[in-house]
Amino acid sequence: MRVFSSSGTGTRRRGGPGPATASPDPPAPRSRAERRRLARRVRRRRAGRAPRRIAGALAGSVLLTLLVKTFAVQAFVIPSASMEPTLRIGDRVLVDTFSPWTGDAPARGDVVVFTDPGGWGPRTAPGERSGFPGKGWLTALGLVPADDGRTLVKRVVAVGGDTVEGDTSGRILVGGEPVDPPQGAPERPAGAHRPFRVTVPAGRLFVLGDNRGNSADSRVHLDDGHGGTIPQDSVVGTALAVAWPTAHWRSL
């Protein structure tokens, strides 16, 4: 059966094939010179990206290092013999400075670095401070160990609510239990000692040097109005390890 088209100009069978479409001509092959020019352009683009990628990677590494040093770990120099034999003069200790930001409180036995609450450190005239331009910024970033006399290091022996006692022989008791200095620490010097009894206020710490006979610690500041304790907020961080010199590497 034949079916007339709507134009009436011809006939076609229903469902028959439509008009044929011409396929595009394949691209002409590139000459060898064109292929070389294209390869050179690709190499130039890649070469231009490499310095940017390297610079970005270096910048990211430096930023990450600064963040870690500033907010996680910082180096401090031990200025005195008050913590011998645990820490010696000139030791560089790595300090966890991140925990105070999270609200973690120091515990009994921790070695802590804290800012001078007033009258604890040596009095140094501005002209006597050693250093160089920009050292303060480098110290704040953790790239130079802090040695400005405003940061001190001691061991926490009592926390808020504890009762600390000292007898005439130089013994220290916390809650009635003796707190002995670390093994190898110098013996207590002979002679009379000032007896005391202090209840540590909440939010404060009672700290001692491991070198009990040569440490200007909480015992020296008993009359400062807080029983020789320091504010917990003054703690910069907890000492983790001795990093330098290599002969004295140790964890704390």
Side-chain angles (χ1 to χ4, degrees):
M1 176 179 180
R2 293 178 180 272
V3 178
F4 292 97
S5 64
S6 58
S7 61
T9 58
T11 61
R12 68 177 178 183
R13 191 176 302 276
R14 186 183 297 272
T21 58
S23 60
D25 295 332
R30 292 189 177 94
S31 66
R32 180 176 298 179
E34 290 175 334
R35 291 197 300 270
R36 288 176 178 174
R37 285 196 295 270
L38 179 61
R40 282 197 296 270
R41 286 198 295 269
V42 171
R43 285 196 296 269
R44 282 196 296 268
R45 284 199 296 268
R46 290 177 178 173
R49 292 194 196 105
R52 292 195 295 271
R53 290 177 177 174
I54 293 173
L58 289 176
S61 299
V62 170
L63 178 60
L64 180 60
T65 299
L66 292 178
L67 289 174
V68 170
K69 285 181 174 291
T70 303
F71 299 106
V73 177
Q74 191 171 348
F76 289 84
V77 177
I78 301 304
S80 72
S82 68
M83 284 295 292
E84 288 184 349
T86 307
L87 300 173
R88 303 170 186 171
I89 296 175
D91 279 355
R92 270 66 169 173
V93 295
L94 298 180
V95 176
D96 169 18
T97 57
F98 183 74
S99 294
W101 290 72
T102 63
D104 289 346
R108 300 179 196 89
D110 285 349
V111 176
V112 295
V113 171
F114 58 97
T115 56
D116 187 348
W120 282 56
R123 296 181 179 178
T124 305
E128 297 175 354
R129 292 176 183 169
S130 61
F132 51 85
K135 182 179 179 181
W137 286 98
L138 294 176
T139 299
L141 291 173
L143 300 178
V144 174
D147 60 353
D148 55 9
R150 293 176 296 178
T151 49
L152 307 168
V153 58
K154 296 287 184 284
R155 187 180 297 275
V156 176
V157 297
V159 298
D162 290 340
T163 298
V164 187
E165 299 175 81
D167 60 22
T168 55
S169 68
R171 288 193 313 159
I172 302 295
L173 300 95
V174 176
E177 297 294 328
V179 179
D180 295 324
Q183 185 176 5
E187 294 292 333
R188 295 187 296 272
H193 294 263
R194 176 187 175 185
F196 66 89
R197 179 185 175 90
V198 172
T199 298
V200 181
R204 300 187 72 89
L205 307 168
F206 196 93
V207 295
L208 298 178
D210 287 353
N211 187 355
R212 299 278 178 85
N214 184 23
S215 176
D217 46 41
S218 290
R219 298 168 298 173
V220 176
H221 301 275
L222 293 171
D223 299 325
D224 65 358
H226 301 284
T229 60
I230 64 169
Q232 185 175 303
D233 292 343
S234 69
V235 173
V236 176
T238 303
L240 301 174
V242 178
W244 187 264
T246 55
H248 198 206
W249 278 351
R250 59 172 299 179
S251 60
L252 299 173

